[in-house]
Amino acid sequence: MRRASTKRPPTRKAPTEAPSGTTPAARPASEKTAIFRFFAYSLLPLMNVLARYRVHGLENVPAAGSFVVAPNHYSNIDPIVIGLGLWRSGRMPRYLAKASLFRNPVVGALLRKAEQIPVERSGNSRDGVGPLKQAQDIAAAGHAVVIYPEGSLTRDPDGWPMRGKYGAVRTAMDAGIPLIPAASWGAQLVMPQKTNRISVFPRKTVDIVFGPPVDLSDFAGRPRDSRVLAEATARLMAAITALVEDLRDEKAPVERWNPTEHGQTEIGRFDDSH
């Protein structure tokens, strides 16, 4: 088994902040609403104690309008990491979140206020038609929607992106909005892949990168059948994997991990053998 590298990308990466005098006027003032500021001010102090964050590719995040962000998924804390990156861009993320979180009266009320999207993890629907319709509705309102194309934590033993599902590309294609690949690396040092335990010391470094939009123009006018969706998803996963390779400074396996070929489930509690 390969040992994942902890190398960090060279300083030639994109700057962490957009050039002054260009983006502030373009950003909608309403993005950082009270509910998002509540989440940010509740989480950011702890997150900044745990790690420092180097955000690259902010120029690839649309200043206004809707888009889909499709990141890799390798730690239970990496959604917060991606949210932190989007916070720095000035855009506020809407996630597909586990429906069980919405059943808590307090947490559920906060998530609904922030327009997060409940998803039942029963496994009965490969792509979650209901939640994706809600994601498209939110995108139609001009917001950013984060959809993890892997659907769950990667089962690849070295943390590389595994086989993707169709939800992210279908949402972007149906809504006619940009599909932004994203990646982070280092969150597994804060919260290891198979646990919810947080490592506080020493302070870690986490890199976050937003890539250029995935070009889906050649799919225009073609039917949304499984062949088209699979081809578009493979293109997306290749873009995400390339970003992860840059962050890790190593090459991913030629063949992407497929959980079903290894007797693994893609939903529920992470387990190497099921």
Side-chain angles (χ1 to χ4, degrees), residues 162-211:
M162 65 176 180
R163 179 188 65 177
K165 298 183 180 180
Y166 303 156
V169 298
R170 191 169 70 182
T171 299
M173 292 167 74
D174 288 353
I177 59 178
L179 176 61
I180 308 296
S184 68
W185 192 246
Q188 81 284 359
L189 303 177
V190 177
M191 182 177 287
Q193 183 182 38
K194 302 174 188 177
T195 75
N196 288 320
R197 296 191 301 273
I198 291 178
S199 172
V200 178
F201 300 109
R203 191 170 184 238
K204 317 301 189 294
T205 297
V206 178
D207 283 284
I208 307 161
V209 59
F210 299 97

Side-chain angles (χ1 to χ4, degrees), residues 103-126:
R103 299 187 185 109
N104 180 290
V106 176
V107 174
L110 291 172
L111 291 175
R112 291 185 187 92
K113 183 70 173 177
E115 299 179 279
Q116 307 305 311
I117 306 165
V119 180
E120 292 289 353
R121 300 301 299 275
S122 64
N124 294 329
S125 173
R126 178 175 173 81

Side-chain angles (χ1 to χ4, degrees), residues 1-262:
M1 181 182 298
R2 299 179 306 277
R3 182 181 299 276
S5 171
T6 58
K7 294 181 181 179
R8 299 295 161 208
T11 55
R12 61 180 175 80
K13 289 285 183 179
T16 60
E17 301 294 339
S20 60
T22 58
T23 56
R27 305 256 185 228
S30 61
E31 283 269 322
K32 291 186 176 180
T33 58
I35 185 63
F36 283 106
R37 291 183 185 277
F38 171 80
F39 280 125
Y41 298 153
S42 298
L43 293 171
L44 285 178
L46 173 61
M47 295 298 291
N48 285 326
V49 166
L50 296 174
R52 66 187 184 103
Y53 305 90
R54 303 189 296 197
V55 186
H56 319 280
L58 286 179
E59 72 278 6
N60 294 316
V61 178
S66 56
F67 60 99
V68 174
V69 179
N72 63 325
H73 197 10
Y74 60 99
S75 167
N76 283 326
I77 206 171
D78 64 55
I80 299 177
V81 168
I82 291 296
L84 185 151
L86 287 171
W87 173 265
R88 288 193 183 178
S89 80
R91 302 304 305 271
M92 300 299 99
R94 276 71 175 177
Y95 289 90
L96 275 64
K98 291 189 294 185
S100 59
L101 296 174
F102 289 78
R103 299 187 185 109
N104 180 290
V106 176
V107 174
L110 291 172
L111 291 175
R112 291 185 187 92
K113 183 70 173 177
E115 299 179 279
Q116 307 305 311
I117 306 165
V119 180
E120 292 289 353
R121 300 301 299 275
S122 64
N124 294 329
S125 173
R126 178 175 173 81
D127 293 312
V129 174
L132 291 186
K133 176 60 169 63
Q134 294 180 62
Q136 291 168 7
D137 291 343
I138 287 176
H143 299 312
V145 180
V146 178
I147 301 178
Y148 283 89
E150 295 166 90
S152 64
L153 289 172
T154 180
R155 269 48 178 169
D156 183 284
D158 291 330
W160 292 104
M162 65 176 180
R163 179 188 65 177
K165 298 183 180 180
Y166 303 156
V169 298
R170 191 169 70 182
T171 299
M173 292 167 74
D174 288 353
I177 59 178
L179 176 61
I180 308 296
S184 68
W185 192 246
Q188 81 284 359
L189 303 177
V190 177
M191 182 177 287
Q193 183 182 38
K194 302 174 188 177
T195 75
N196 288 320
R197 296 191 301 273
I198 291 178
S199 172
V200 178
F201 300 109
R203 191 170 184 238
K204 317 301 189 294
T205 297
V206 178
D207 283 284
I208 307 161
V209 59
F210 299 97
V214 177
D215 184 4
L216 301 176
S217 60
D218 54 317
F219 296 107
R222 295 173 61 181
R224 299 284 192 270
D225 57 27
S226 59
R227 176 178 296 182
V228 165
L229 293 173
E231 185 179 344
T233 298
R235 186 177 301 177
L236 168 63
M237 296 310 300
I240 295 171
T241 301
L243 295 177
V244 178
E245 287 180 329
D246 285 345
L247 294 181
R248 295 178 57 164
D249 193 24
E250 57 183 314
K251 296 296 293 184
V254 174
E255 185 174 348
R256 193 162 289 114
W257 189 270
N258 184 341
T260 59
E261 294 178 355
H262 297 272

